[in-house]
Amino acid sequence: MSGFGHGTRKHPRSRGRMGSRGGPDRVTLGIAGVVCAVAGFFVLGIVLGPVAMVCGWLAMGRRWASRAVAPLVAVILGGLDTVLAVLWLAGTPGNGWM
């Protein structure tokens, strides 16, 4: 039996995968960003595109020097999704543009 304060683990509050501190890990954010970007091509692109870009940016660790593929795909597809949604909204009849 271990005494008070002398547990079997040396660091009971050690960090999780990829150094996350209580939040979701970077791999999960990258995959969530890709899912949001792909879903944004079909529904609510004006909302899901920026969400995908933010998830991808956070998954890259808020810097561009990342070798992970999923966050980069999320940022690129999210940006493309946002641009296409804005162009679609600007080009709809009844707005005075056409």
Side-chain angles (χ1 to χ4, degrees), residues 3-74:
F4 181 72
H6 300 291
T8 57
R9 294 177 63 189
K10 290 185 179 181
H11 304 288
R13 294 181 188 241
S14 62
R15 295 184 195 172
R17 285 178 29 188
M18 300 291 290
S20 64
R21 294 183 181 168
D25 59 355
R26 292 180 180 168
V27 175
T28 305
L29 279 172
I31 293 172
V34 171
V35 169
C36 286
V38 171
F41 282 113
F42 302 106
V43 292
L44 294 173
I46 196 72
V47 175
L48 291 177
V51 169
M53 289 175 27
V54 168
C55 285
W57 178 254
L58 291 175
M60 284 194 287
R62 291 182 248 159
R63 60 179 178 249
W64 289 109
S66 175
R67 295 185 180 190
V69 176
L72 186 62
V73 169

